Short mmCIF file of all heavy atoms in Angstrom, two decimals:
data_model
loop_
_atom_site.label_atom_id
_atom_site.label_comp_id
_atom_site.label_asym_id
_atom_site.label_seq_id
_atom_site.Cartn_x
_atom_site.Cartn_y
_atom_site.Cartn_z
N MET A 1 0.82 -1.19 0.00
CA MET A 1 0.00 0.00 0.00
C MET A 1 0.85 1.24 0.00
O MET A 1 0.44 2.27 -0.46
CB MET A 1 -0.96 -0.05 1.19
CG MET A 1 -0.63 0.84 2.36
SD MET A 1 -2.04 0.85 3.48
CE MET A 1 -2.12 2.56 3.89
N THR A 2 2.06 1.15 0.50
CA THR A 2 2.91 2.32 0.41
C THR A 2 4.17 1.95 -0.35
O THR A 2 4.38 0.79 -0.70
CB THR A 2 3.30 2.84 1.79
OG1 THR A 2 3.69 1.75 2.55
CG2 THR A 2 2.17 3.57 2.41
N LEU A 6 11.98 1.63 -4.15
CA LEU A 6 11.47 1.05 -5.37
C LEU A 6 12.60 0.30 -6.08
O LEU A 6 13.75 0.69 -5.97
CB LEU A 6 10.95 2.15 -6.29
CG LEU A 6 9.76 2.89 -5.74
CD1 LEU A 6 9.50 4.13 -6.56
CD2 LEU A 6 8.56 1.98 -5.79
N ARG A 21 20.76 13.68 -10.13
CA ARG A 21 19.31 13.48 -10.24
C ARG A 21 18.84 12.42 -9.26
O ARG A 21 17.82 12.56 -8.61
CB ARG A 21 18.98 13.06 -11.67
CG ARG A 21 18.06 14.04 -12.37
CD ARG A 21 17.19 13.32 -13.35
NE ARG A 21 15.98 12.87 -12.69
CZ ARG A 21 14.79 12.99 -13.23
NH1 ARG A 21 14.66 13.50 -14.42
NH2 ARG A 21 13.73 12.58 -12.59
N ASP A 28 13.86 13.86 -2.47
CA ASP A 28 12.45 14.13 -2.74
C ASP A 28 11.58 13.10 -2.04
O ASP A 28 10.62 13.42 -1.34
CB ASP A 28 12.24 14.10 -4.27
CG ASP A 28 10.80 14.39 -4.64
OD1 ASP A 28 10.15 15.15 -3.91
OD2 ASP A 28 10.34 13.85 -5.67
N LEU A 29 11.98 11.82 -2.19
CA LEU A 29 11.20 10.73 -1.62
C LEU A 29 11.18 10.81 -0.10
O LEU A 29 10.19 10.51 0.55
CB LEU A 29 11.81 9.40 -2.07
CG LEU A 29 10.99 8.15 -1.82
CD1 LEU A 29 9.70 8.22 -2.60
CD2 LEU A 29 11.79 6.91 -2.20
N PRO A 33 7.17 13.76 2.20
CA PRO A 33 6.06 13.48 3.13
C PRO A 33 6.03 14.46 4.29
O PRO A 33 4.96 14.93 4.67
CB PRO A 33 6.35 12.07 3.62
CG PRO A 33 7.21 11.46 2.59
CD PRO A 33 8.00 12.58 1.96
N TYR A 34 7.21 14.78 4.82
CA TYR A 34 7.25 15.70 5.96
C TYR A 34 6.78 17.09 5.55
O TYR A 34 6.09 17.77 6.29
CB TYR A 34 8.66 15.77 6.54
CG TYR A 34 9.09 14.45 7.14
CD1 TYR A 34 9.99 13.62 6.49
CD2 TYR A 34 8.55 14.03 8.35
CE1 TYR A 34 10.36 12.40 7.02
CE2 TYR A 34 8.92 12.80 8.90
CZ TYR A 34 9.82 12.00 8.23
OH TYR A 34 10.18 10.79 8.76
N TYR A 36 4.64 17.75 3.35
CA TYR A 36 3.19 17.75 3.12
C TYR A 36 2.39 17.78 4.42
O TYR A 36 1.29 18.32 4.46
CB TYR A 36 2.77 16.52 2.28
CG TYR A 36 3.40 16.49 0.91
CD1 TYR A 36 3.35 15.34 0.13
CD2 TYR A 36 4.05 17.61 0.40
CE1 TYR A 36 3.93 15.31 -1.12
CE2 TYR A 36 4.64 17.58 -0.85
CZ TYR A 36 4.58 16.43 -1.60
OH TYR A 36 5.17 16.40 -2.83
N PRO A 51 -2.39 28.15 22.12
CA PRO A 51 -3.33 28.93 22.92
C PRO A 51 -3.92 28.13 24.07
O PRO A 51 -4.08 28.64 25.18
CB PRO A 51 -4.42 29.33 21.92
CG PRO A 51 -3.76 29.29 20.61
CD PRO A 51 -2.75 28.19 20.69
N THR A 55 -3.31 29.07 27.91
CA THR A 55 -4.44 29.33 28.80
C THR A 55 -4.10 28.88 30.22
O THR A 55 -4.46 29.55 31.19
CB THR A 55 -5.70 28.60 28.30
OG1 THR A 55 -5.94 28.98 26.95
CG2 THR A 55 -6.92 28.94 29.13
N TRP A 63 -5.01 38.49 35.83
CA TRP A 63 -4.68 39.13 34.56
C TRP A 63 -5.92 39.87 34.07
O TRP A 63 -6.92 39.25 33.73
CB TRP A 63 -4.25 38.06 33.55
CG TRP A 63 -3.45 38.55 32.41
CD1 TRP A 63 -3.63 39.68 31.69
CD2 TRP A 63 -2.30 37.91 31.84
NE1 TRP A 63 -2.69 39.78 30.72
CE2 TRP A 63 -1.85 38.71 30.78
CE3 TRP A 63 -1.61 36.71 32.13
CZ2 TRP A 63 -0.76 38.36 30.00
CZ3 TRP A 63 -0.52 36.36 31.34
CH2 TRP A 63 -0.10 37.20 30.29
N ASN A 119 -37.51 0.40 2.46
CA ASN A 119 -37.47 0.57 1.02
C ASN A 119 -38.41 1.70 0.59
O ASN A 119 -39.43 1.48 -0.04
CB ASN A 119 -37.86 -0.76 0.38
CG ASN A 119 -37.70 -0.72 -1.11
OD1 ASN A 119 -36.97 0.11 -1.64
ND2 ASN A 119 -38.40 -1.63 -1.79
N LEU A 120 -38.02 2.94 0.94
CA LEU A 120 -38.91 4.09 0.72
C LEU A 120 -38.94 4.50 -0.75
O LEU A 120 -37.97 4.37 -1.47
CB LEU A 120 -38.40 5.29 1.51
CG LEU A 120 -38.49 5.26 3.03
CD1 LEU A 120 -37.66 6.39 3.59
CD2 LEU A 120 -39.93 5.42 3.47
N ARG A 121 -40.09 5.05 -1.15
CA ARG A 121 -40.10 5.86 -2.38
C ARG A 121 -39.45 7.19 -2.05
O ARG A 121 -39.49 7.62 -0.91
CB ARG A 121 -41.53 6.13 -2.82
CG ARG A 121 -42.22 4.96 -3.44
CD ARG A 121 -43.68 5.27 -3.65
NE ARG A 121 -44.47 4.04 -3.66
CZ ARG A 121 -44.56 3.24 -4.73
NH1 ARG A 121 -43.96 3.55 -5.84
NH2 ARG A 121 -45.27 2.12 -4.66
N VAL A 135 -29.16 23.35 7.78
CA VAL A 135 -28.82 24.55 7.00
C VAL A 135 -29.06 25.84 7.80
O VAL A 135 -28.55 26.89 7.44
CB VAL A 135 -29.60 24.66 5.67
CG1 VAL A 135 -29.44 23.39 4.85
CG2 VAL A 135 -31.05 24.98 5.90
N SER A 137 -28.48 28.51 10.53
CA SER A 137 -27.33 28.84 11.36
C SER A 137 -27.75 28.83 12.83
O SER A 137 -28.91 29.02 13.16
CB SER A 137 -26.78 30.21 10.99
OG SER A 137 -27.67 31.20 11.42
N VAL A 139 -27.23 30.95 15.13
CA VAL A 139 -27.79 32.21 15.59
C VAL A 139 -29.26 32.31 15.16
O VAL A 139 -30.12 32.69 15.96
CB VAL A 139 -26.97 33.39 15.04
CG1 VAL A 139 -27.64 34.71 15.37
CG2 VAL A 139 -25.56 33.36 15.62
N ILE A 143 -32.52 32.58 17.66
CA ILE A 143 -33.53 33.64 17.57
C ILE A 143 -34.92 33.05 17.34
O ILE A 143 -35.89 33.45 18.00
CB ILE A 143 -33.14 34.63 16.44
CG1 ILE A 143 -31.87 35.38 16.82
CG2 ILE A 143 -34.28 35.59 16.16
CD1 ILE A 143 -31.32 36.27 15.73
N ASN A 147 -38.17 33.05 19.96
CA ASN A 147 -39.52 33.52 19.65
C ASN A 147 -40.56 32.44 19.94
O ASN A 147 -41.59 32.71 20.58
CB ASN A 147 -39.57 33.94 18.18
CG ASN A 147 -40.98 34.24 17.72
OD1 ASN A 147 -41.63 33.40 17.12
ND2 ASN A 147 -41.47 35.44 18.02
N TYR A 153 -46.06 35.71 23.99
CA TYR A 153 -46.57 35.59 22.63
C TYR A 153 -45.96 34.43 21.88
O TYR A 153 -46.07 34.33 20.67
CB TYR A 153 -46.31 36.90 21.87
CG TYR A 153 -46.88 38.10 22.60
CD1 TYR A 153 -46.06 39.11 23.06
CD2 TYR A 153 -48.25 38.18 22.83
CE1 TYR A 153 -46.59 40.19 23.74
CE2 TYR A 153 -48.78 39.26 23.51
CZ TYR A 153 -47.96 40.26 23.97
OH TYR A 153 -48.48 41.32 24.64
N TRP A 187 -33.34 19.77 17.75
CA TRP A 187 -33.94 20.09 16.47
C TRP A 187 -32.86 20.15 15.40
O TRP A 187 -33.01 19.65 14.31
CB TRP A 187 -34.69 21.43 16.56
CG TRP A 187 -35.28 21.83 15.26
CD1 TRP A 187 -36.41 21.30 14.70
CD2 TRP A 187 -34.79 22.80 14.34
NE1 TRP A 187 -36.64 21.89 13.48
CE2 TRP A 187 -35.66 22.81 13.24
CE3 TRP A 187 -33.70 23.66 14.35
CZ2 TRP A 187 -35.46 23.66 12.14
CZ3 TRP A 187 -33.51 24.50 13.27
CH2 TRP A 187 -34.38 24.49 12.18
N ARG A 188 -31.73 20.76 15.74
CA ARG A 188 -30.71 20.95 14.72
C ARG A 188 -29.94 19.68 14.41
O ARG A 188 -29.57 19.43 13.27
CB ARG A 188 -29.72 22.03 15.17
CG ARG A 188 -28.78 22.45 14.06
CD ARG A 188 -28.38 23.89 14.17
NE ARG A 188 -27.65 24.31 12.99
CZ ARG A 188 -26.37 24.05 12.80
NH1 ARG A 188 -25.70 23.38 13.72
NH2 ARG A 188 -25.76 24.44 11.70
N ALA A 199 -26.28 5.15 7.99
CA ALA A 199 -25.14 4.63 7.23
C ALA A 199 -24.58 3.39 7.92
O ALA A 199 -24.25 2.39 7.27
CB ALA A 199 -24.06 5.70 7.12
N GLN A 248 -19.57 22.38 25.55
CA GLN A 248 -19.08 23.73 25.27
C GLN A 248 -20.19 24.64 24.79
O GLN A 248 -19.94 25.70 24.23
CB GLN A 248 -18.00 23.68 24.19
CG GLN A 248 -16.76 22.95 24.59
CD GLN A 248 -15.73 22.97 23.48
OE1 GLN A 248 -15.13 23.98 23.19
NE2 GLN A 248 -15.55 21.85 22.82
N THR B 2 -36.88 -5.68 -0.94
CA THR B 2 -37.94 -5.92 0.04
C THR B 2 -39.16 -5.08 -0.31
O THR B 2 -39.09 -4.16 -1.12
CB THR B 2 -37.47 -5.54 1.45
OG1 THR B 2 -36.84 -4.26 1.36
CG2 THR B 2 -36.48 -6.54 1.99
N ARG B 4 -42.35 -2.40 -0.09
CA ARG B 4 -42.45 -1.00 0.33
C ARG B 4 -43.00 -0.93 1.74
O ARG B 4 -43.85 -1.73 2.12
CB ARG B 4 -43.40 -0.25 -0.61
CG ARG B 4 -42.92 -0.21 -2.04
CD ARG B 4 -42.05 0.98 -2.29
NE ARG B 4 -41.55 0.98 -3.66
CZ ARG B 4 -40.44 1.60 -4.04
NH1 ARG B 4 -39.73 2.25 -3.16
NH2 ARG B 4 -40.05 1.58 -5.29
N PRO B 5 -42.55 0.02 2.54
CA PRO B 5 -43.08 0.17 3.89
C PRO B 5 -44.51 0.72 3.87
O PRO B 5 -44.96 1.28 2.87
CB PRO B 5 -42.13 1.18 4.53
CG PRO B 5 -41.55 1.93 3.40
CD PRO B 5 -41.50 1.00 2.23
N TYR B 10 -44.25 6.11 6.51
CA TYR B 10 -44.31 7.38 5.80
C TYR B 10 -44.86 8.48 6.70
O TYR B 10 -44.35 9.59 6.74
CB TYR B 10 -45.18 7.27 4.54
CG TYR B 10 -44.48 6.57 3.40
CD1 TYR B 10 -44.81 5.27 3.06
CD2 TYR B 10 -43.49 7.22 2.68
CE1 TYR B 10 -44.17 4.63 2.01
CE2 TYR B 10 -42.84 6.58 1.64
CZ TYR B 10 -43.18 5.28 1.30
OH TYR B 10 -42.54 4.66 0.28
N GLY B 19 -41.82 18.75 11.39
CA GLY B 19 -41.26 19.37 12.58
C GLY B 19 -39.91 20.00 12.31
O GLY B 19 -39.55 21.03 12.89
N SER B 20 -39.14 19.39 11.39
CA SER B 20 -37.83 19.93 11.04
C SER B 20 -37.95 21.21 10.24
O SER B 20 -37.12 22.10 10.35
CB SER B 20 -37.04 18.91 10.21
OG SER B 20 -36.81 17.75 10.96
N TRP B 26 -41.83 29.15 9.99
CA TRP B 26 -42.37 30.15 10.93
C TRP B 26 -41.56 31.45 10.85
O TRP B 26 -42.12 32.55 10.90
CB TRP B 26 -42.33 29.57 12.35
CG TRP B 26 -42.82 30.49 13.43
CD1 TRP B 26 -42.06 31.10 14.38
CD2 TRP B 26 -44.17 30.87 13.69
NE1 TRP B 26 -42.85 31.85 15.20
CE2 TRP B 26 -44.16 31.73 14.80
CE3 TRP B 26 -45.39 30.56 13.08
CZ2 TRP B 26 -45.30 32.29 15.33
CZ3 TRP B 26 -46.54 31.12 13.60
CH2 TRP B 26 -46.49 31.99 14.71
N THR B 39 -49.88 37.39 18.37
CA THR B 39 -50.91 37.40 19.41
C THR B 39 -52.17 36.70 18.96
O THR B 39 -53.11 36.56 19.73
CB THR B 39 -51.25 38.85 19.81
OG1 THR B 39 -51.49 39.60 18.62
CG2 THR B 39 -50.10 39.48 20.58
N ARG B 97 5.29 6.31 2.74
CA ARG B 97 5.76 5.75 4.00
C ARG B 97 6.92 6.59 4.50
O ARG B 97 7.84 6.87 3.75
CB ARG B 97 6.21 4.30 3.82
CG ARG B 97 6.36 3.61 5.17
CD ARG B 97 6.97 2.25 5.04
NE ARG B 97 6.08 1.29 4.38
CZ ARG B 97 6.53 0.13 3.89
NH1 ARG B 97 7.79 -0.18 3.94
NH2 ARG B 97 5.67 -0.70 3.32
N PHE B 98 6.82 7.05 5.73
CA PHE B 98 7.93 7.83 6.28
C PHE B 98 8.02 7.59 7.76
O PHE B 98 7.05 7.19 8.40
CB PHE B 98 7.77 9.32 5.96
CG PHE B 98 6.44 9.92 6.36
CD1 PHE B 98 6.34 10.69 7.51
CD2 PHE B 98 5.31 9.74 5.58
CE1 PHE B 98 5.13 11.26 7.88
CE2 PHE B 98 4.09 10.31 5.94
CZ PHE B 98 4.01 11.06 7.09
N LYS B 99 9.22 7.82 8.29
CA LYS B 99 9.46 7.55 9.71
C LYS B 99 8.51 8.37 10.57
O LYS B 99 8.38 9.57 10.37
CB LYS B 99 10.90 7.88 10.05
CG LYS B 99 11.67 6.67 10.52
CD LYS B 99 13.02 7.05 11.08
CE LYS B 99 13.98 5.88 10.88
NZ LYS B 99 15.30 6.28 10.44
N PRO B 115 -10.71 20.35 22.42
CA PRO B 115 -11.60 21.50 22.30
C PRO B 115 -10.80 22.80 22.20
O PRO B 115 -10.63 23.51 23.18
CB PRO B 115 -12.43 21.45 23.58
CG PRO B 115 -11.61 20.66 24.54
CD PRO B 115 -10.66 19.82 23.78
N GLN B 117 -11.53 25.49 21.17
CA GLN B 117 -12.32 26.67 21.48
C GLN B 117 -11.96 27.23 22.85
O GLN B 117 -12.13 28.42 23.10
CB GLN B 117 -13.81 26.28 21.47
CG GLN B 117 -14.75 27.44 21.71
CD GLN B 117 -16.20 27.02 21.57
OE1 GLN B 117 -16.79 27.13 20.53
NE2 GLN B 117 -16.76 26.53 22.66
N PRO B 122 -5.90 33.39 25.19
CA PRO B 122 -4.60 33.76 24.60
C PRO B 122 -4.73 34.17 23.14
O PRO B 122 -4.03 35.08 22.70
CB PRO B 122 -3.78 32.47 24.72
CG PRO B 122 -4.42 31.72 25.81
CD PRO B 122 -5.87 32.05 25.76
N MET B 125 -5.69 37.66 23.13
CA MET B 125 -4.57 38.52 23.50
C MET B 125 -3.61 38.68 22.33
O MET B 125 -3.11 39.79 22.06
CB MET B 125 -3.84 37.92 24.72
CG MET B 125 -4.68 37.99 26.00
SD MET B 125 -4.25 36.75 27.24
CE MET B 125 -2.78 37.39 27.93
N SER B 163 -1.88 2.32 -5.41
CA SER B 163 -0.46 2.50 -5.14
C SER B 163 0.39 2.20 -6.37
O SER B 163 1.46 2.78 -6.56
CB SER B 163 -0.03 1.61 -3.98
OG SER B 163 -0.67 2.03 -2.80
N ARG B 170 6.58 7.06 -10.24
CA ARG B 170 7.91 7.23 -9.65
C ARG B 170 8.98 6.69 -10.58
O ARG B 170 9.99 7.34 -10.83
CB ARG B 170 8.01 6.47 -8.32
CG ARG B 170 7.38 7.11 -7.13
CD ARG B 170 8.01 8.36 -6.66
NE ARG B 170 9.46 8.27 -6.41
CZ ARG B 170 10.22 9.33 -6.17
NH1 ARG B 170 9.67 10.52 -6.17
NH2 ARG B 170 11.50 9.19 -5.94
N GLY B 173 10.24 8.60 -13.25
CA GLY B 173 11.00 9.80 -12.90
C GLY B 173 10.14 10.98 -12.51
O GLY B 173 10.59 12.12 -12.57
N MET B 176 7.64 13.91 -6.57
CA MET B 176 6.53 13.73 -5.65
C MET B 176 5.41 14.74 -5.87
O MET B 176 4.23 14.41 -5.88
CB MET B 176 7.02 13.86 -4.21
CG MET B 176 7.38 12.57 -3.55
SD MET B 176 6.13 11.34 -3.77
CE MET B 176 7.02 9.94 -3.23
N ILE B 177 5.82 15.99 -6.03
CA ILE B 177 4.80 17.02 -6.10
C ILE B 177 4.00 16.88 -7.40
O ILE B 177 2.79 17.15 -7.43
CB ILE B 177 5.43 18.44 -5.95
CG1 ILE B 177 4.35 19.47 -5.63
CG2 ILE B 177 6.20 18.87 -7.18
CD1 ILE B 177 3.80 19.34 -4.23
N ASN B 205 -21.31 29.30 10.28
CA ASN B 205 -22.09 29.28 11.52
C ASN B 205 -21.33 29.72 12.74
O ASN B 205 -21.91 29.88 13.81
CB ASN B 205 -22.60 27.86 11.78
CG ASN B 205 -23.84 27.59 11.00
OD1 ASN B 205 -24.64 28.48 10.80
ND2 ASN B 205 -23.97 26.37 10.53
N GLN B 222 -23.51 36.21 11.10
CA GLN B 222 -24.04 35.77 12.40
C GLN B 222 -24.01 36.91 13.41
O GLN B 222 -24.95 37.10 14.19
CB GLN B 222 -23.24 34.58 12.94
CG GLN B 222 -23.07 33.43 11.97
CD GLN B 222 -24.38 32.84 11.50
OE1 GLN B 222 -25.40 32.97 12.17
NE2 GLN B 222 -24.38 32.21 10.35
N TYR B 236 -40.11 41.20 16.33
CA TYR B 236 -39.77 39.90 15.77
C TYR B 236 -39.93 39.84 14.27
O TYR B 236 -39.24 39.08 13.59
CB TYR B 236 -40.58 38.80 16.46
CG TYR B 236 -39.81 38.20 17.60
CD1 TYR B 236 -40.25 38.33 18.91
CD2 TYR B 236 -38.63 37.52 17.37
CE1 TYR B 236 -39.52 37.80 19.96
CE2 TYR B 236 -37.90 36.98 18.41
CZ TYR B 236 -38.35 37.12 19.70
OH TYR B 236 -37.62 36.59 20.73
N VAL B 239 -36.54 40.92 13.11
CA VAL B 239 -35.46 40.00 13.44
C VAL B 239 -35.59 38.70 12.63
O VAL B 239 -34.61 38.20 12.08
CB VAL B 239 -35.48 39.69 14.96
CG1 VAL B 239 -34.39 38.71 15.30
CG2 VAL B 239 -35.30 40.97 15.75
N MET B 266 -23.08 10.28 5.24
CA MET B 266 -23.17 8.83 5.39
C MET B 266 -21.83 8.16 5.11
O MET B 266 -21.46 7.21 5.78
CB MET B 266 -24.28 8.29 4.50
CG MET B 266 -25.64 8.78 4.98
SD MET B 266 -27.02 8.17 4.03
CE MET B 266 -26.87 6.41 4.26
#
Side-chain angles (χ1 to χ4, degrees):
Chain A
M1 105 170 223
T2 46
L6 295 168
R21 241 211 89 136
D28 181 32
L29 192 63
Y34 295 105
Y36 298 167
T55 305
W63 201 318
N119 186 21
L120 291 167
R121 285 172 206 280
V135 307
S137 71
V139 173
I143 292 174
N147 171 263
Y153 305 117
W187 178 76
R188 190 149 189 280
Q248 295 181 72
Chain B
T2 47
R4 298 271 178 204
Y10 283 105
S20 298
W26 179 251
T39 49
R97 194 188 291 165
F98 53 102
K99 242 190 208 138
Q117 183 175 267
M125 291 155 77
S163 294
R170 281 293 307 170
M176 266 312 168
I177 196 72
N205 278 325
Q222 308 301 337
Y236 266 114
V239 179
M266 293 181 61

